Protein backbone atom coordinates (compact mmCIF):
# COMPACT_ATOMS: atom_id res chain seq x y z
CA UNK A 1 0.00 0.00 0.00
CA UNK A 2 1.52 3.33 -1.03
CA UNK A 3 1.99 6.05 1.57
CA UNK A 4 0.34 9.40 1.73
CA UNK A 5 0.96 11.97 -0.98
CA UNK A 6 1.98 15.57 -0.33
CA UNK A 7 -0.37 18.03 -2.06
CA UNK A 8 0.03 21.80 -2.32
CA UNK A 9 -3.11 23.65 -3.33
CA UNK A 10 -5.01 26.88 -2.71
CA UNK A 11 -8.38 26.59 -0.99
CA UNK A 12 -10.67 29.56 -0.43
CA UNK A 13 -7.80 31.95 -1.09
CA UNK A 14 -5.32 30.32 1.30
CA UNK A 15 -2.30 28.18 0.43
CA UNK A 16 -2.70 24.68 1.87
CA UNK A 17 -0.19 21.85 2.24
CA UNK A 18 -1.68 18.48 3.10
CA UNK A 19 -1.09 14.76 3.04
CA UNK A 20 -3.72 12.44 1.61
CA UNK A 21 -4.13 8.85 0.58
CA UNK A 22 -3.74 8.28 -3.18
CA UNK A 23 -7.34 7.00 -3.44
CA UNK A 24 -8.93 9.58 -1.13
CA UNK A 25 -11.49 11.82 -2.77
CA UNK A 26 -11.27 15.58 -2.71
CA UNK A 27 -14.53 15.49 -0.76
CA UNK A 28 -12.87 13.34 1.91
CA UNK A 29 -9.85 15.61 2.04
CA UNK A 30 -12.01 18.73 2.41
CA UNK A 31 -14.27 17.30 5.10
CA UNK A 32 -12.06 14.87 7.02
CA UNK A 33 -8.56 16.30 6.67
CA UNK A 34 -9.27 20.03 6.49
CA UNK A 35 -12.54 20.23 8.45
CA UNK A 36 -14.38 22.10 5.67
CA UNK A 37 -17.69 20.38 6.33
CA UNK A 38 -19.83 22.80 4.31
CA UNK A 39 -19.27 20.60 1.27
CA UNK A 40 -21.81 17.81 1.72
CA UNK A 41 -21.70 14.15 0.84
CA UNK A 42 -24.86 13.13 -0.95
CA UNK A 43 -24.64 10.26 -3.40
CA UNK A 44 -20.85 9.65 -3.64
CA UNK A 45 -21.22 8.92 -7.36
CA UNK A 46 -21.48 12.34 -9.01
CA UNK A 47 -25.25 12.45 -9.49
CA UNK A 48 -26.52 14.89 -6.86
CA UNK A 49 -24.14 17.90 -6.83
CA UNK A 50 -24.19 18.28 -3.02
CA UNK A 51 -20.38 18.12 -3.00
CA UNK A 52 -19.87 20.72 -5.75
CA UNK A 53 -16.78 22.90 -5.52
CA UNK A 54 -15.10 25.24 -7.98
CA UNK A 55 -11.81 23.71 -9.13
CA UNK A 56 -9.71 25.95 -11.37
CA UNK A 57 -12.83 27.82 -12.49
CA UNK A 58 -14.96 24.74 -13.20
CA UNK A 59 -17.75 23.28 -11.08
CA UNK A 60 -16.87 19.69 -10.18
CA UNK A 61 -18.30 17.01 -7.94
CA UNK A 62 -15.61 16.64 -5.31
CA UNK A 63 -16.66 13.01 -4.75
CA UNK A 64 -15.35 12.23 -8.25
CA UNK A 65 -12.01 14.02 -7.94
CA UNK A 66 -9.07 12.53 -6.10
CA UNK A 67 -7.42 14.71 -3.49
CA UNK A 68 -4.07 14.26 -5.22
CA UNK A 69 -5.57 15.84 -8.35
CA UNK A 70 -5.84 19.11 -6.44
CA UNK A 71 -2.07 19.56 -6.68
CA UNK A 72 -1.40 23.13 -7.82
CA UNK A 73 -5.12 23.92 -8.16
CA UNK A 74 -7.35 26.73 -6.94
CA UNK A 75 -10.42 25.46 -5.09
CA UNK A 76 -13.43 27.36 -3.78
CA UNK A 77 -15.83 25.68 -1.38
CA UNK A 78 -19.02 27.10 0.07
CA UNK A 79 -16.95 28.34 3.04
CA UNK A 80 -14.98 30.55 0.64
CA UNK A 81 -18.01 32.35 -0.79
CA UNK A 82 -18.96 34.51 2.19
CA UNK A 83 -16.64 37.30 3.27
CA UNK A 84 -15.67 38.48 6.76
CA UNK A 85 -18.13 41.33 6.21
CA UNK A 86 -21.07 38.95 5.78
CA UNK A 87 -22.92 36.59 3.52
CA UNK A 88 -22.50 36.64 -0.23
CA UNK A 89 -25.65 37.94 -2.01
CA UNK A 90 -26.40 34.38 -3.18
CA UNK A 91 -26.40 33.10 0.37
CA UNK A 92 -28.56 36.00 1.52
CA UNK A 93 -31.06 35.48 -1.29
CA UNK A 94 -31.29 31.76 -0.58
CA UNK A 95 -32.37 32.71 2.93
CA UNK A 96 -34.78 35.44 1.81
CA UNK A 97 -36.44 33.21 -0.81
CA UNK A 98 -36.57 30.15 1.49
CA UNK A 99 -34.65 28.30 -1.21
CA UNK A 100 -33.49 25.62 1.22
CA UNK A 101 -34.97 23.11 3.58
CA UNK A 102 -32.89 20.18 4.82
CA UNK A 103 -29.66 21.88 3.69
CA UNK A 104 -27.83 18.91 2.16
CA UNK A 105 -28.03 20.28 -1.39
CA UNK A 106 -27.73 23.98 -0.53
CA UNK A 107 -23.92 24.32 -0.53
CA UNK A 108 -23.70 22.64 -3.93
CA UNK A 109 -26.38 24.90 -5.39
CA UNK A 110 -24.70 28.01 -4.00
CA UNK A 111 -21.28 26.99 -5.33
CA UNK A 112 -22.69 26.17 -8.78
CA UNK A 113 -24.72 29.39 -8.90
CA UNK A 114 -21.65 31.40 -7.88
CA UNK A 115 -19.68 29.87 -10.74
CA UNK A 116 -22.49 30.77 -13.14
CA UNK A 117 -22.74 34.38 -11.94
CA UNK A 118 -18.96 34.74 -12.15
CA UNK A 119 -19.23 33.85 -15.86
CA UNK A 120 -22.60 35.37 -16.66
CA UNK A 121 -23.65 38.22 -14.37
CA UNK A 122 -27.22 38.33 -15.70
CA UNK A 123 -28.27 34.85 -16.83
CA UNK A 124 -31.76 34.03 -18.08
CA UNK A 125 -34.03 31.73 -16.11
CA UNK A 126 -33.44 29.05 -18.74
CA UNK A 127 -29.67 29.41 -18.40
CA UNK A 128 -29.87 29.18 -14.60
CA UNK A 129 -31.95 26.01 -14.83
CA UNK A 130 -29.50 24.47 -17.30
CA UNK A 131 -26.48 25.43 -15.21
CA UNK A 132 -27.99 23.98 -12.03
CA UNK A 133 -29.23 20.78 -13.70
CA UNK A 134 -26.39 18.80 -12.08
CA UNK A 135 -27.67 19.63 -8.60
CA UNK A 136 -30.58 17.73 -7.12
CA UNK A 137 -32.96 18.86 -4.40
CA UNK A 138 -35.52 16.52 -2.91
CA UNK A 139 -37.18 19.09 -0.62
CA UNK A 140 -37.88 22.45 -2.24
CA UNK A 141 -38.47 21.97 -5.89
CA UNK A 142 -36.40 24.35 -7.92
CA UNK A 143 -38.46 27.51 -8.39
CA UNK A 144 -37.33 29.14 -5.14
CA UNK A 145 -33.72 28.31 -5.93
CA UNK A 146 -33.96 29.83 -9.41
CA UNK A 147 -35.68 32.95 -8.01
CA UNK A 148 -32.94 33.32 -5.40
CA UNK A 149 -30.24 33.17 -8.09
CA UNK A 150 -32.11 35.70 -10.25
CA UNK A 151 -32.52 38.07 -7.31
CA UNK A 152 -28.84 37.69 -6.35
CA UNK A 153 -27.82 38.50 -9.93
CA UNK A 154 -29.91 41.68 -9.84
CA UNK A 155 -28.50 42.65 -6.45
CA UNK A 156 -24.94 42.04 -7.58
CA UNK A 157 -25.48 44.03 -10.79
CA UNK A 158 -27.07 46.99 -9.04
Amino acid sequence: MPGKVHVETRINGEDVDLLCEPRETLLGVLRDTLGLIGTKEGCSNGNCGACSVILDGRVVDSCLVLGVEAQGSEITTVEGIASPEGLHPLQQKFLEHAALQCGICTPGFIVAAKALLDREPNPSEHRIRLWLAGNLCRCTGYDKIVRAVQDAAQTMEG
Side-chain angles (χ1 to χ4, degrees), residues 7-18:
V7 176
E8 296 176 4
T9 187
R10 189 166 179 81
I11 301 176
N12 298 329
E14 295 185 23
D15 292 329
V16 176
D17 288 324
L18 60 98

Side-chain angles (χ1 to χ4, degrees), residues 94-158:
F94 264 66
L95 289 171
E96 290 175 15
H97 287 267
L100 52 104
Q101 285 188 14
C102 81
I104 296 295
C105 69
T106 305
F109 271 106
I110 289 172
V111 167
K114 169 85 165 67
L116 169 61
L117 296 181
D118 285 348
R119 290 178 187 230
E120 299 176 32
N122 191 20
S124 67
E125 178 180 341
H126 179 73
R127 186 73 174 134
I128 294 168
R129 288 182 184 277
L130 284 175
W131 191 272
L132 299 180
N135 295 76
L136 301 178
C137 176
R138 298 177 197 269
C139 300
T140 66
Y142 297 91
D143 290 331
K144 291 179 180 182
I145 293 168
V146 171
R147 301 294 171 254
V149 174
Q150 288 175 315
D151 196 6
Q154 290 176 350
T155 299
M156 291 166 64
E157 235 182 11

Side-chain angles (χ1 to χ4, degrees), residues 40-108:
K40 301 301 182 199
E41 182 174 0
C43 65
S44 296
N45 63 19
N47 285 311
C48 74
C51 67
S52 296
V53 298
I54 301 171
L55 175 69
D56 293 331
R58 295 183 348 237
V59 177
V60 300
D61 295 319
S62 62
C63 70
L64 297 179
V65 176
L66 294 174
V68 296
E69 293 179 281
Q71 173 61 38
S73 294
E74 176 86 24
I75 300 167
T76 302
T77 70
V78 71
E79 289 93 346
I81 293 178
S83 70
E85 293 78 41
L87 295 176
H88 185 278
L90 271 168
Q91 294 166 314
Q92 186 61 44
K93 296 306 179 181
F94 264 66
L95 289 171
E96 290 175 15
H97 287 267
L100 52 104
Q101 285 188 14
C102 81
I104 296 295
C105 69
T106 305

